[in-house]
């Protein structure tokens, strides 16, 4: 069964990861682009070609190709014959002896455009009676004049052109198979001989059966032509049909015999039978030598004679066609660019994640070594992939990220110093923790509060200084803030170095720096005295309630003195009134809007009666926490009655935004509560009044919000309503006819809800 991919979900997972690693991606892309640009300029060509040569030099030696025999004319031969060039008569004799060995093909790698000494007719007769003999010519180009082949061989179409191409640094790394001058098609010396040999095995040249049919195929081997920017080349002249030469990596890749021995008929039995025989110069004095990728390898001459070059080219062709020996392929440029980008990402990622210079250096060395191993492994199976540009991108991206991190650390140090100077002026204890819960910034007030110096505290956490249960409680709240990435508040116990235990209130907020590091900022308030006062007030109130109604009223008045609701910890009625008055004054001065939300829980009385007051109290606490967690730090949420809450939204930009906040609160409260292993579902009705549209006084705004809340409840609950003009009018009339204080209004609201 096919499964459809949820691309929205995939995007939702990938985008945060990309954003969190944005600096890595930008740096990697930048340095990959630089490496690619530098490569396209040709600046790295020399280094890349040198690296390519090293692959040949370290490759394991291959066996001798016994299908090719070289007949060398060296300086000793020239001295013994006392002649150069070799006369036509001697050449005819040598070729006759070779022909007698029945080779598959004979290649004469010596220019014979003019008669030499006596024996021209004899040599022409050998040429005309040897159909498997191929002569060589030099094509005229813009740099040098050409050398024509023997006329007899040219008339018989038994000629191949010299296919030696030099790179800018003078080395031979390419082989030319075909060329044309716009009028006529020419085949190289090596390919001509290889085709003669392969024809005996029934292998002929034809268009590629796979991929581009214009490519040459011999057997199962497809010879892809070279492009100007293939491998390490940049803008190389790729005219004709060129391939990258794959030299056999050993000192003696072919059987050899001297021209003098051949001339004397001293040829070992079957040395040349059914093989390709090349006749050419190996004399140092003739300077027909070339540098190749093998130059410099131990036990291999620094340069190679032309006849040996042709033998390597021929061996490459027939080995690929018959043995399946790998040709050298290259990636398309877009794939090479992607390869460079991958290593750039690796360098940037390592530098971003590993901040230890020693570890980073070791990992970069390991990565560079791995890149070289991969390049060598690919070369073994016939692929020339870039090594120098990705190495440059790897190191460059790592250096770039390291420099950026050094800059960030410098800026962070400056920020810490500035932050310390600021927070040390604040009387409340303040701490800043990293994601490992370690203190990274502390003010002097915190040091005095806990009783240890800042130097002793930095880099540690509460486990080192507080009792285990206190440290565990504080760190649990810290972890919640890190996981939720939101603000949080908690009350905890705190025992300092002198053994004095405080009750503290901690306000937490999470922040990120430009590098993506997360820090938890906490402000501590000592509420020990306040908690004692509240406890005392509660005890006094309980005693007064037990004595008489007058004492209960006094106790209620004392409880009213406290600013926070003892059950939920939210601001109580008095603090709510003060904050609303302050908000109205501020909004009036700054010409801003205020939204007042009257929140009443639907069906709370049923929960309280059916589940018990313990569950009811837990539900109220949970509701208070959800409301607080859904609002801004500048907003106020207060509990003014049993299940009544009010929310002040100062500087709200519009009625629409107030409606969005109300909808958010409704959605939050409608989610299931799990209390004491019991699952409870509850909704709320919300009424909204706006300052100054729905009233300019505290009483008018409250009554308007209250009336609109009742309208929301009568309309089906679990919804919100804005104050209507009629409700505003009624609230104004109500205020003018009655001189009640805000407390009386609040009591009447509570009485109506309870009824």
């Amino acid at each position: 069964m096919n499964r459809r991919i949820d691309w929205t979900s995939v995007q939702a997972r990938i985008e945060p990861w990309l954003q969190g690693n944005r600096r890595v991606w930008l740096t990697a892309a930048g340095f990959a682009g630089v490496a690619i640009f530098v490569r396209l300029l040709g600046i790295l060509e020399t280094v890349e070609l040198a690296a390519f040569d090293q692959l040949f030099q370290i490759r394991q030696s291959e066996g001798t190709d016994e299908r090719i025999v070289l007949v060398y004319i060296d300086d000793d031969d020239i001295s013994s014959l006392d002649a150069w060039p070799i006369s036509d008569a001697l050449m005819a004799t040598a070729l006759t002896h070779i022909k007698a060995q029945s080779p598959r093909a004979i290649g004469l790698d010596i220019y014979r455009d003019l008669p030499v000494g006596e024996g021209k007719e004899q040599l022409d007769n050998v040429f005309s009676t040897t159909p498997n003999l191929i002569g060589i010519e030099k094509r005229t180009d813009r740099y040098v004049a050409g050398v024509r082949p023997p006329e007899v061989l040219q008339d018989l179409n038994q000629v191949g052109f010299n296919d030696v191409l030099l790179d800018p640094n003078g080395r031979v790394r390419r082989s030319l198979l075909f060329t044309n001058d716009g009028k006529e098609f020419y085949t190289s010396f090596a390919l001509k001989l290889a085709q003669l040999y392969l024809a005996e095995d029934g292998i002929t040249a034809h268009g590629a059966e796979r991929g581009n049919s214009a490519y040459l195929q011999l057997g199962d081997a497809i010879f892809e032509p070279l492009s100007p920017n293939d491998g390490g080349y940049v803008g190389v002249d790729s005219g004709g049909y060129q391939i990258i030469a794959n030299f056999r990596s050993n000192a003696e890749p072919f059987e050899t015999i001297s021209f003098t021995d051949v001339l004397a008929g001293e040829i070992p039995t079957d040395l040349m039978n059914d093989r390709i025989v090349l006749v050419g110069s190996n004399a140092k004095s003739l300077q027909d030598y070339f540098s190749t990728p093998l130059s410099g390898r131990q036990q291999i001459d620094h340069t190679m004679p032309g006849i040996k070059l042709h033998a390597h080219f021929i061996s490459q062709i027939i080995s690929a066609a018959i043995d399946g020996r790998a040709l050298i392929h290259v990636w398309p440029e877009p794939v090479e660019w992607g390869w460079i980008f991958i290593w750039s990402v690796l360098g940037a990622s390592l530098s971003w994640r590993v901040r230890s210079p020693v570890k980073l250096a070791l990992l970069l060395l390991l990565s560079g070594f791995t890149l070289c191993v991969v390049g060598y492994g690919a070369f073994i199976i016939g692929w020339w992939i870039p090594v120098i540009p990705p190495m440059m991108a790897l190191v460059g991206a790592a250096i770039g990220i390291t420099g950026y991190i050094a800059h960030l650390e410098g800026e962070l140090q400056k920020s810490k110093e500035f932050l310390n100077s600021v927070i040390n002026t604040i009387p409340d204890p303040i701490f800043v923790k990293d994601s490992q819960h370690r203190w990274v910034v502390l003010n002097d007030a915190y040091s005095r509060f806990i009783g240890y110096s800042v130097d002793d505290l930095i880099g540690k956490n509460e486990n080192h200084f507080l009792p285990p249960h206190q440290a565990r409680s504080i760190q649990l709240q810290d972890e919640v803030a890190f996981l939720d990435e939101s603000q949080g508040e908690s009350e905890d116990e705190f025992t300092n170095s002198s053994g004095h235990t405080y009750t503290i209130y901690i306000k937490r907020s999470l922040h990120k720096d430009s590098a993506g590091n997360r820090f938890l900022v906490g402000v501590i308030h000592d509420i020990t005295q306040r908690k004692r006062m509240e406890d005392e007030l509660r005890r006094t109130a309980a005693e007064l309630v037990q004595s008489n109604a007058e004492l209960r009223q006094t106790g209620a008045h004392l409880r009213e003195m406290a600013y926070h609701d003892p059950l939920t910890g939210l601001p109580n009625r008095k603090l709510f009134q003060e904050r609303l008055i302050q908000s109205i004054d501020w909004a009036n001065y700054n010409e801003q809007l205020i939204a007042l939300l009257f929140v009443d829980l639907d069906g709370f009385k049923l929960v309280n009666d059916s589940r018990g007051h313990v569950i009811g109290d837990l539900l109220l606490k949970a509701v208070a926490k959800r409301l607080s967690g859904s609002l801004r730090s500048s907003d106020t949420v207060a509990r003014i009655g049993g299940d009544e809450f009010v929310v002040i939204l100062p500087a709200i930009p519009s009625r629409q935004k107030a409606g969005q906040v109300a909808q958010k609160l409704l959605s939050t409260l409608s989610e299931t509560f799990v209390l004491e292993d019991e699952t409870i579902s509850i909704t709320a009705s919300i009424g909204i009044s706006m300052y100054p549209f729905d009233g300019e006084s505290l009483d008018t705004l409250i009554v308007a919000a209250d009336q609109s809340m009742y309208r929301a409840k009568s309309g089906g609950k679990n919804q919100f309503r804005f104050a209507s003009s009629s409700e505003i009018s009624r609230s104004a009339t109500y205020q003018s006819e009655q001189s009640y204080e805000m407390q009386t209004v609040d009591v009447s609201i509570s009485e109506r809800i309870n009824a």
Side-chain angles (χ1 to χ4, degrees), residues 138-195:
K138 185 173 182 61
R139 300 288 305 155
T140 300
D141 58 30
R142 56 182 175 177
Y143 300 109
V144 295
V147 180
R148 295 178 58 80
E151 292 184 3
V152 175
L153 293 179
Q154 186 173 25
D155 293 341
L156 295 171
N157 193 27
Q158 294 177 212
V159 177
F161 66 83
N162 191 335
D163 52 357
V164 176
L165 299 173
L166 297 180
D167 282 343
N169 65 350
R171 289 201 170 184
V172 177
R173 301 182 181 90
R174 297 168 288 145
S175 173
L176 182 60
L177 301 183
F178 305 109
T179 188
N180 68 82
D181 56 7
K183 299 179 181 179
E184 193 172 349
F185 190 77
Y186 301 94
T187 304
S188 72
F189 182 66
L191 180 59
K192 200 93 171 180
L193 290 166
Q195 287 180 301

Side-chain angles (χ1 to χ4, degrees), residues 39 48-49 52 55-56 173-174 215 222-234 236 238 242-246 316 326-337 339 375 378-387:
R39 180 186 183 279
E48 286 199 79
L49 292 178
F52 179 64
L55 294 175
F56 277 104
R173 301 182 181 90
R174 297 168 288 145
Y215 291 173
I222 297 176
F223 297 79
E224 299 179 9
L226 181 74
S227 297
N229 291 334
D230 278 355
Y233 289 109
V234 178
V236 69
S238 59
Q242 301 180 29
I243 63 172
I244 300 171
N246 189 5
Q316 178 179 0
L327 295 166
I328 296 180
H329 306 281
V330 297
W331 283 339
E333 281 194 321
V335 177
E336 290 186 348
W337 298 346
W339 173 249
F379 177 73
I380 293 299
I381 60 175
W383 288 92
W384 181 10
I385 65 175
V387 174

Side-chain angles (χ1 to χ4, degrees), residues 630-644:
S630 301
L631 298 172
R632 303 171 298 179
S633 59
S634 59
D635 301 334
T636 297
V637 56
R639 180 187 176 214
I640 63 172
D643 60 345
E644 296 171 343

Side-chain angles (χ1 to χ4, degrees), residues 620-659:
L620 290 175
K621 288 182 180 180
V623 168
K625 186 174 182 180
R626 285 195 184 179
L627 290 174
S628 299
S630 301
L631 298 172
R632 303 171 298 179
S633 59
S634 59
D635 301 334
T636 297
V637 56
R639 180 187 176 214
I640 63 172
D643 60 345
E644 296 171 343
F645 299 86
V646 288
V647 177
I648 304 172
L649 304 177
I652 196 76
S654 63
R655 289 169 60 92
Q656 181 183 7
K657 186 62 178 178

Side-chain angles (χ1 to χ4, degrees), residues 600-607 643 666 681-686 709 712-713 716-719:
D600 186 87
L601 302 181
D602 300 328
F604 174 76
K605 188 174 185 302
L606 177 61
V607 173
D643 60 345
L666 290 174
S681 297
I682 198 168
T683 60
S685 300
I686 300 177
M709 179 275 293
K713 191 177 287 290
K717 302 180 181 181
N718 194 25
Q719 57 184 287

Side-chain angles (χ1 to χ4, degrees), residues 462-700:
E462 290 86 356
N463 290 328
H464 298 86
F465 303 97
L466 299 184
H469 69 282
Q470 294 180 6
R472 189 163 49 250
S473 176
I474 292 175
Q475 290 180 356
L476 179 62
Q477 295 297 326
D478 292 345
E479 186 63 27
V480 170
F482 273 116
L483 293 176
D484 294 345
E485 295 190 354
S486 62
Q487 297 182 353
E489 302 173 357
S490 68
E491 292 184 4
D492 294 284
E493 288 187 343
F494 189 99
T495 302
N496 64 11
S497 61
S498 301
H500 186 76
T501 299
Y502 297 90
T503 301
I504 59 173
Y505 167 83
I506 304 178
K507 177 75 173 181
R508 297 174 176 84
S509 59
L510 196 65
H511 302 269
K512 289 184 179 180
D513 63 11
S514 56
N517 299 308
R518 300 188 305 166
F519 296 97
L520 186 67
V521 179
V523 180
I524 296 177
H525 299 284
D526 180 7
I527 59 173
T528 306
Q529 294 299 325
R530 196 193 79 188
K531 296 296 288 185
R532 289 176 181 173
M533 180 181 294
E534 290 177 354
D535 292 341
E536 183 64 30
L537 288 174
R538 281 193 289 269
R539 286 195 298 271
T540 303
E543 293 173 356
L544 291 175
V545 167
Q546 291 177 359
S547 59
N548 53 56
E550 183 179 355
L551 291 177
R552 284 197 300 271
Q553 184 178 2
T554 301
H557 178 68
L558 290 175
R559 286 192 300 274
E560 194 68 16
M561 293 173 60
Y563 279 93
H564 288 80
D565 175 48
L567 177 63
T568 63
L570 296 176
N572 62 6
R573 189 188 315 277
K574 184 175 182 180
L575 183 55
F576 155 68
Q577 292 173 359
E578 291 182 1
R579 290 190 179 177
L580 181 56
I581 292 172
Q582 292 171 359
S583 298
I584 291 174
D585 291 341
W586 181 87
N588 183 50
Y589 181 79
N590 292 281
E591 298 183 354
Q592 296 286 330
L593 302 179
I594 301 173
L596 180 65
L597 279 62
F598 202 105
V599 182
D600 186 87
L601 302 181
D602 300 328
F604 174 76
K605 188 174 185 302
L606 177 61
V607 173
N608 215 25
D609 292 343
S610 61
R611 304 293 182 91
H613 293 291
V614 173
I615 296 297
D617 288 347
L618 291 176
L619 178 59
L620 290 175
K621 288 182 180 180
V623 168
K625 186 174 182 180
R626 285 195 184 179
L627 290 174
S628 299
S630 301
L631 298 172
R632 303 171 298 179
S633 59
S634 59
D635 301 334
T636 297
V637 56
R639 180 187 176 214
I640 63 172
D643 60 345
E644 296 171 343
F645 299 86
V646 288
V647 177
I648 304 172
L649 304 177
I652 196 76
S654 63
R655 289 169 60 92
Q656 181 183 7
K657 186 62 178 178
Q660 292 175 357
V661 174
Q663 185 60 53
K664 178 181 178 182
L665 296 181
L666 290 174
S667 299
T668 299
L669 294 178
S670 64
E671 295 178 1
T672 302
F673 293 86
V674 179
L675 307 171
E676 295 288 337
D677 297 329
E678 292 193 39
T679 300
I680 298 176
S681 297
I682 198 168
T683 60
S685 300
I686 300 177
I688 307 173
S689 61
M690 301 291 295
Y691 172 88
F693 305 128
D694 300 335
E696 298 184 359
S697 68
L698 178 146
D699 294 349
T700 305

